[in-house]
Short mmCIF file of all heavy atoms in Angstrom, two decimals:
data_model
loop_
_atom_site.label_atom_id
_atom_site.label_comp_id
_atom_site.label_asym_id
_atom_site.label_seq_id
_atom_site.Cartn_x
_atom_site.Cartn_y
_atom_site.Cartn_z
N VAL A 1 136.59 141.33 -28.57
CA VAL A 1 135.21 141.11 -28.15
C VAL A 1 135.04 141.65 -26.74
O VAL A 1 135.82 141.38 -25.83
CB VAL A 1 134.85 139.64 -28.21
CG1 VAL A 1 133.42 139.43 -27.68
CG2 VAL A 1 134.95 139.13 -29.69
N VAL A 2 133.96 142.39 -26.50
CA VAL A 2 133.67 142.93 -25.16
C VAL A 2 132.87 141.94 -24.39
O VAL A 2 132.33 140.97 -24.92
CB VAL A 2 132.96 144.27 -25.25
CG1 VAL A 2 133.77 145.30 -26.04
CG2 VAL A 2 131.55 144.13 -25.88
N VAL A 3 132.69 142.19 -23.10
CA VAL A 3 131.87 141.31 -22.24
C VAL A 3 130.40 141.66 -22.49
O VAL A 3 130.08 142.76 -22.93
CB VAL A 3 132.25 141.46 -20.76
CG1 VAL A 3 133.68 141.05 -20.53
CG2 VAL A 3 132.00 142.87 -20.27
N ALA A 4 129.56 140.70 -22.15
CA ALA A 4 128.09 140.92 -22.27
C ALA A 4 127.69 142.16 -21.50
O ALA A 4 128.11 142.36 -20.35
CB ALA A 4 127.34 139.71 -21.78
N GLY A 5 126.91 143.03 -22.11
CA GLY A 5 126.45 144.26 -21.47
C GLY A 5 127.28 145.46 -21.74
O GLY A 5 126.81 146.59 -21.50
N ALA A 6 128.51 145.27 -22.29
CA ALA A 6 129.38 146.39 -22.58
C ALA A 6 129.07 146.96 -23.96
O ALA A 6 128.65 146.22 -24.86
CB ALA A 6 130.83 146.02 -22.46
N THR A 7 129.37 148.21 -24.18
CA THR A 7 129.10 148.87 -25.45
C THR A 7 130.25 148.65 -26.43
O THR A 7 131.43 148.75 -26.05
CB THR A 7 128.85 150.38 -25.27
OG1 THR A 7 127.68 150.55 -24.47
CG2 THR A 7 128.66 151.06 -26.61
N GLY A 8 129.96 148.36 -27.65
CA GLY A 8 130.98 148.25 -28.70
C GLY A 8 130.27 148.24 -30.07
O GLY A 8 129.05 148.38 -30.19
N GLU A 9 131.07 148.08 -31.10
CA GLU A 9 130.53 148.02 -32.46
C GLU A 9 129.98 146.63 -32.73
O GLU A 9 130.60 145.62 -32.42
CB GLU A 9 131.56 148.37 -33.50
CG GLU A 9 131.01 148.38 -34.95
CD GLU A 9 132.06 148.64 -36.02
OE1 GLU A 9 133.27 148.65 -35.68
OE2 GLU A 9 131.65 148.82 -37.19
N LEU A 10 128.80 146.58 -33.37
CA LEU A 10 128.21 145.30 -33.71
C LEU A 10 128.78 144.83 -35.04
O LEU A 10 128.75 145.57 -36.05
CB LEU A 10 126.69 145.41 -33.79
CG LEU A 10 125.94 144.08 -34.07
CD1 LEU A 10 124.60 144.11 -33.34
CD2 LEU A 10 125.67 143.87 -35.54
N LEU A 11 129.35 143.61 -35.05
CA LEU A 11 129.81 142.99 -36.27
C LEU A 11 128.89 141.77 -36.53
O LEU A 11 128.45 141.12 -35.56
CB LEU A 11 131.24 142.50 -36.12
CG LEU A 11 132.38 143.48 -36.44
CD1 LEU A 11 132.28 144.73 -35.60
CD2 LEU A 11 133.72 142.81 -36.22
N ALA A 12 128.61 141.49 -37.77
CA ALA A 12 127.69 140.40 -38.11
C ALA A 12 128.24 139.64 -39.33
O ALA A 12 128.97 140.23 -40.16
CB ALA A 12 126.31 140.94 -38.39
N ARG A 13 127.87 138.39 -39.43
CA ARG A 13 128.34 137.55 -40.52
C ARG A 13 127.25 136.57 -40.92
O ARG A 13 126.62 135.93 -40.06
CB ARG A 13 129.60 136.81 -40.09
CG ARG A 13 130.28 135.97 -41.20
CD ARG A 13 131.66 135.54 -40.78
NE ARG A 13 131.67 134.67 -39.62
CZ ARG A 13 132.77 134.19 -39.03
NH1 ARG A 13 133.97 134.52 -39.55
NH2 ARG A 13 132.71 133.42 -37.97
N SER A 14 127.01 136.43 -42.23
CA SER A 14 125.98 135.52 -42.69
C SER A 14 126.15 135.28 -44.20
O SER A 14 126.56 136.21 -44.92
CB SER A 14 124.56 136.08 -42.44
OG SER A 14 123.60 135.28 -43.07
N PRO A 15 125.83 134.09 -44.68
CA PRO A 15 125.82 133.88 -46.14
C PRO A 15 124.76 134.66 -46.87
O PRO A 15 124.75 134.71 -48.11
CB PRO A 15 125.61 132.36 -46.26
CG PRO A 15 124.98 131.95 -44.98
CD PRO A 15 125.53 132.86 -43.93
N MET A 16 123.85 135.27 -46.11
CA MET A 16 122.80 136.11 -46.77
C MET A 16 123.28 137.52 -47.10
O MET A 16 122.61 138.22 -47.86
CB MET A 16 121.54 136.19 -45.85
CG MET A 16 120.88 134.86 -45.61
SD MET A 16 119.33 135.01 -44.64
CE MET A 16 119.99 135.42 -43.01
N PHE A 17 124.37 137.92 -46.52
CA PHE A 17 124.80 139.33 -46.65
C PHE A 17 125.38 139.61 -48.05
O PHE A 17 125.68 138.70 -48.82
CB PHE A 17 125.85 139.68 -45.62
CG PHE A 17 125.31 139.71 -44.20
CD1 PHE A 17 126.15 139.95 -43.13
CD2 PHE A 17 123.96 139.48 -43.90
CE1 PHE A 17 125.68 139.99 -41.82
CE2 PHE A 17 123.48 139.50 -42.62
CZ PHE A 17 124.35 139.78 -41.56
N MET A 18 125.57 140.91 -48.33
CA MET A 18 126.10 141.31 -49.64
C MET A 18 127.48 140.72 -49.85
O MET A 18 128.21 140.36 -48.92
CB MET A 18 126.21 142.83 -49.69
CG MET A 18 127.32 143.45 -48.84
SD MET A 18 127.57 145.23 -49.19
CE MET A 18 129.03 145.55 -48.20
N ASP A 19 127.86 140.65 -51.14
CA ASP A 19 129.22 140.17 -51.44
C ASP A 19 130.17 141.34 -51.69
O ASP A 19 131.27 141.12 -52.18
CB ASP A 19 129.23 139.18 -52.60
CG ASP A 19 128.71 139.80 -53.91
OD1 ASP A 19 128.61 141.03 -54.00
OD2 ASP A 19 128.44 138.99 -54.85
N GLY A 20 129.75 142.57 -51.36
CA GLY A 20 130.61 143.71 -51.47
C GLY A 20 129.88 144.89 -52.10
O GLY A 20 128.75 144.82 -52.51
N TYR A 21 130.61 146.00 -52.15
CA TYR A 21 130.09 147.22 -52.80
C TYR A 21 130.50 147.18 -54.28
O TYR A 21 131.58 146.84 -54.65
CB TYR A 21 130.65 148.47 -52.18
CG TYR A 21 130.17 148.73 -50.75
CD1 TYR A 21 131.07 148.74 -49.67
CD2 TYR A 21 128.80 148.89 -50.48
CE1 TYR A 21 130.63 148.98 -48.38
CE2 TYR A 21 128.37 149.11 -49.18
CZ TYR A 21 129.28 149.16 -48.15
OH TYR A 21 128.85 149.36 -46.84
N ASP A 22 129.55 147.57 -55.13
CA ASP A 22 129.73 147.52 -56.54
C ASP A 22 130.86 148.46 -57.02
O ASP A 22 130.74 149.68 -56.86
CB ASP A 22 128.41 147.86 -57.25
CG ASP A 22 128.37 147.39 -58.67
OD1 ASP A 22 128.68 146.20 -58.91
OD2 ASP A 22 127.97 148.15 -59.54
N GLY A 23 131.94 147.87 -57.56
CA GLY A 23 132.99 148.69 -58.14
C GLY A 23 133.79 149.49 -57.10
O GLY A 23 134.50 150.43 -57.47
N MET A 24 133.68 149.10 -55.81
CA MET A 24 134.37 149.86 -54.76
C MET A 24 135.12 148.89 -53.84
O MET A 24 134.72 148.63 -52.68
CB MET A 24 133.37 150.71 -53.95
CG MET A 24 132.57 151.69 -54.80
SD MET A 24 131.36 152.66 -53.82
CE MET A 24 132.48 153.82 -53.00
N PRO A 25 136.22 148.33 -54.32
CA PRO A 25 136.93 147.34 -53.48
C PRO A 25 137.50 147.86 -52.20
O PRO A 25 137.54 147.17 -51.18
CB PRO A 25 138.06 146.83 -54.45
CG PRO A 25 138.22 147.94 -55.46
CD PRO A 25 136.86 148.53 -55.65
N GLU A 26 137.94 149.11 -52.17
CA GLU A 26 138.49 149.68 -50.95
C GLU A 26 137.39 149.86 -49.89
O GLU A 26 137.59 149.57 -48.70
CB GLU A 26 139.17 151.01 -51.25
CG GLU A 26 140.45 150.87 -52.08
CD GLU A 26 141.14 152.22 -52.28
OE1 GLU A 26 140.59 153.24 -51.79
OE2 GLU A 26 142.19 152.24 -52.95
N ALA A 27 136.21 150.34 -50.35
CA ALA A 27 135.10 150.49 -49.41
C ALA A 27 134.64 149.13 -48.89
O ALA A 27 134.26 148.97 -47.74
CB ALA A 27 133.95 151.22 -50.07
N THR A 28 134.67 148.11 -49.78
CA THR A 28 134.31 146.75 -49.38
C THR A 28 135.26 146.25 -48.30
O THR A 28 134.81 145.71 -47.26
CB THR A 28 134.30 145.80 -50.58
OG1 THR A 28 133.37 146.25 -51.54
CG2 THR A 28 133.99 144.39 -50.15
N ALA A 29 136.55 146.42 -48.52
CA ALA A 29 137.57 145.95 -47.56
C ALA A 29 137.44 146.68 -46.21
O ALA A 29 137.76 146.11 -45.18
CB ALA A 29 138.96 146.14 -48.13
N ALA A 30 136.98 147.92 -46.26
CA ALA A 30 136.83 148.68 -44.99
C ALA A 30 135.58 148.27 -44.24
O ALA A 30 135.47 148.55 -43.05
CB ALA A 30 136.80 150.18 -45.31
N THR A 31 134.64 147.61 -44.90
CA THR A 31 133.38 147.20 -44.28
C THR A 31 133.34 145.74 -43.96
O THR A 31 132.77 145.35 -42.90
CB THR A 31 132.22 147.59 -45.22
OG1 THR A 31 132.26 148.97 -45.49
CG2 THR A 31 130.86 147.23 -44.61
#
């Protein structure tokens, strides 16, 4: 985790999000 104000990749988590890519377990694991 970076400090506030620094640039990095945004990661998010929520029970509303998808449960994965259809028929693509490797792509799901990478995301």
